[in-house]
Amino acid sequence: MTATLRRFAMAVVMVSALLLVFADSRALTLLASGALILFLILAFRQYRTGTWVPIILSLGVLALSLWRGVPGEALWQAADRMIFLSALIAMLGTLRAAAAIAPEVLQAGTFVTNQPPSRRYVAMTFGGHLFGVLINFGGLALLLDLTRRSMNTDAAAHLPDAAREARLRRMTLAVIRGFSMISLWSPFGFATNAILITLPGVSYVDFGPVGFAMSFVFVAIGWGFDRLEGRRFRRLGLPRPSPPPGSWRGAAALLAHVLALGATVFAVHELTPLGFQQALILAVPAYALLWSASAGRRSMGKASAGASAAAHATWTRLSDLGPEVGVFAAAGFLPVLLLALIPTEILQAGIAALGLNALSITLGLTLLTVVLALCGVNPIVTASVFGSIAAQLAMPGLSNTAIALAITGGWTSVIGLSPFITTLVIASTIMGRSTTRIGLVWNGPYCLAILTVWLLFLTGLMMSGLI
């Protein structure tokens, strides 16, 4: 009964968010806010540390805002952002439901996990990236599960224990590193959407292409680490896996889906008065419906069967979104009220007293994102709160583009490092290794390397006046 109530409450939030794209209604905002609060109360047993921290912060800031008499307009704006981000995470789940019945997804996973060692890292990194871009955590879980299964084949069973563990580690890290790079540029990713809603003056093209270009640098760095880890096994004459014939078509189809969905979002944004995120929240469920219908026709014989199966999966999963929705709701809610509570003049005076300049603030944002994530604060909360504060400073040389890049770099560096991040929680559950071992021990050197490269990259861009 409680699970059904959570589903109905979340469905009200999702439908309300869609309607609010076309109509600014306080009554609708109030209804959706009530439904969201009900959902969060009913889902409290699902929360982990990473969810409790931003929710408790939100309650504290709300109480302080009411006591200080924050203008009602700020409360309405905070509610609107809270509803939008909560609905967005649920909407992205429709793609996961469609992917679950699409034969090309499993085919693509088989293709990337059965590559020979010389191509495996790059294939699995791009596989983790594509799966994550399209179906987010569902794609990460699917590819990691296929990775685990690949270790149970007859060929893998005859490997020496050290070689088996090394292969598992290298494949796991390739997937996680590919997934983490979503934060650098993906228009469907959490980082991009947190930035766009936090910094209204910034456009996706201001920072997305830069992140996309740097993702190839990070792939090269990861490949270098992988080659170093695998060099002691190259002379052992270990069996070489190979992908099933024709499985490359699944990977090509998955790439086509990413391009088609991206083109749809950008087309809706350019051809209508809708903003980028409004186009996204409308395009995602529509594309998921078409994809599931197509998959149903191919695998079940009827398009309606596929659409029905995806709809049922989406509905069932709504009750389990408590941790993600809690974090996203707080990320939408906190920045608006904090900016209303902390006058910009006081912030500027404090920054001046510390002697901080635009470069130090930019690099500080990157490092703050990393440090707080290691303490259990999700990067989306850090990005939303401190990104908003930094944007209000109006400091010479501190552009919204610099703030956006600072956040995306820090987010990408820590998403595969912090034991509290959902990425590593999922990886730990599937691979049977602790989050600390996967993140800090296995992936720590790589994360430190890309963080250093990103800080140097940002410094160069700012000192040369390019951002």
Side-chain angles (χ1 to χ4, degrees):
M1 181 63 180
T2 303
T4 302
L5 281 176
R6 292 201 299 270
R7 294 184 189 113
F8 272 111
M10 198 64 233
V12 170
V13 175
M14 294 167 68
V15 173
S16 300
L18 291 176
L19 294 176
L20 286 169
V21 171
F22 304 101
D24 184 10
S25 168
R26 292 288 172 86
L28 197 56
T29 298
L30 191 62
L31 172 66
S33 298
L36 180 55
I37 291 170
L38 175 63
F39 174 86
L40 293 173
I41 292 172
L42 294 175
F44 79 95
R45 295 183 186 277
Q46 302 173 8
Y47 298 165
R48 300 182 291 268
T49 301
T51 307
W52 276 117
V53 170
I55 285 182
I56 292 172
L57 283 174
S58 297
L59 292 174
V61 169
L62 174 61
L64 183 60
S65 299
L66 295 175
W67 181 63
R68 293 269 302 269
V70 165
E73 189 59 36
L75 292 171
W76 284 112
Q77 186 182 359
D80 282 334
R81 289 193 180 185
M82 175 179 71
I83 292 164
F84 181 86
L85 282 179
S86 299
L88 179 62
I89 183 64
M91 290 295 186
L92 290 171
T94 61
L95 290 172
R96 179 178 177 181
I101 60 173
E104 62 266 26
V105 173
L106 187 60
Q107 194 178 33
T110 305
F111 174 75
V112 300
T113 55
N114 284 280
Q115 293 294 319
S118 58
R119 299 195 300 266
R120 186 172 57 215
Y121 181 84
V122 173
M124 295 197 70
T125 298
F126 281 106
H129 197 61
L130 286 177
F131 274 64
V133 166
L134 196 58
I135 43 182
N136 216 280
F137 289 123
L140 173 69
L142 175 61
L143 201 51
L144 286 174
D145 185 60
L146 289 172
T147 297
R148 181 181 57 79
R149 290 188 203 176
S150 73
M151 299 304 299
N152 297 326
T153 61
D154 291 338
H158 290 88
L159 293 175
D161 289 343
R164 279 177 54 83
E165 182 67 10
R167 179 181 289 187
L168 178 70
R169 180 176 67 250
R170 293 167 66 188
M171 293 173 74
T172 300
L173 292 181
V175 174
I176 290 173
R177 291 168 184 173
F179 181 82
S180 71
M181 286 186 295
I182 296 170
S183 307
L184 279 178
W185 72 273
S186 172
F188 318 127
F190 302 151
T192 296
N193 283 281
I195 289 167
L196 290 175
I197 203 169
T198 299
L199 307 173
V202 76
S203 166
Y204 172 77
V205 297
D206 292 334
F207 64 94
V210 176
F212 180 74
M214 283 298 293
S215 67
F216 291 94
V217 176
F218 287 2
V219 170
I221 293 172
W223 179 82
F225 275 100
D226 182 75
R227 296 295 290 175
L228 286 174
E229 291 175 11
R231 61 183 177 180
R232 63 192 176 106
F233 299 104
R234 288 178 201 141
R235 297 179 180 178
L236 297 182
L238 301 176
R240 291 166 54 88
S242 60
S247 59
W248 63 270
R249 295 186 182 91
L254 204 64
L255 177 59
H257 281 303
V258 172
L259 296 175
L261 179 56
T264 301
V265 174
F266 280 101
V268 172
H269 172 51
E270 292 296 329
L271 300 176
T272 70
L274 298 177
F276 181 86
Q277 289 186 297
Q278 292 174 320
L280 177 64
I281 204 170
L282 291 173
V284 163
Y287 192 90
L289 177 63
L290 294 174
W291 188 13
S292 61
S294 172
R297 181 178 57 79
R298 285 176 285 135
S299 61
M300 303 177 184
K302 293 178 63 178
S304 59
S308 176
H312 181 265
T314 299
W315 172 256
T316 302
R317 197 173 289 119
L318 288 182
S319 61
D320 302 324
L321 294 178
E324 293 85 356
V325 170
V327 171
F328 271 66
F333 187 79
L334 278 171
V336 179
L337 294 187
L338 283 174
L339 288 177
L341 286 170
I342 309 173
T344 304
E345 295 78 11
I346 295 178
L347 288 173
Q348 290 173 329
I351 295 294
L354 293 172
L356 301 178
N357 57 21
L359 177 60
S360 59
I361 292 175
T362 302
L363 301 183
L365 273 175
T366 301
L367 294 173
L368 190 64
T369 303
V370 173
V371 171
L372 289 181
L374 290 172
C375 296
V377 180
N378 194 286
I380 193 172
V381 177
T382 309
S384 301
V385 172
F386 292 98
S388 295
I389 292 174
Q392 292 296 315
L393 294 176
M395 175 177 287
L398 183 62
S399 65
N400 281 348
T401 300
I403 295 171
L405 290 174
I407 292 169
T408 57
W411 197 320
T412 303
S413 300
V414 81
I415 195 173
L417 180 68
S418 172
F420 302 104
I421 299 292
T422 305
T423 305
L424 291 189
V425 173
I426 291 173
S428 173
T429 301
I430 295 174
M431 308 312 290
R433 305 295 189 275
S434 70
T435 56
T436 301
R437 185 176 183 185
I438 296 174
L440 297 175
V441 179
W442 287 1
N443 208 27
Y446 164 81
C447 292
L448 180 61
I450 65 170
L451 174 61
T452 302
V453 169
W454 191 261
L455 292 173
L456 293 173
F457 175 64
L458 274 184
T459 300
L461 288 178
M462 295 195 71
M463 293 186 69
S464 62
L466 294 176
I467 58 172

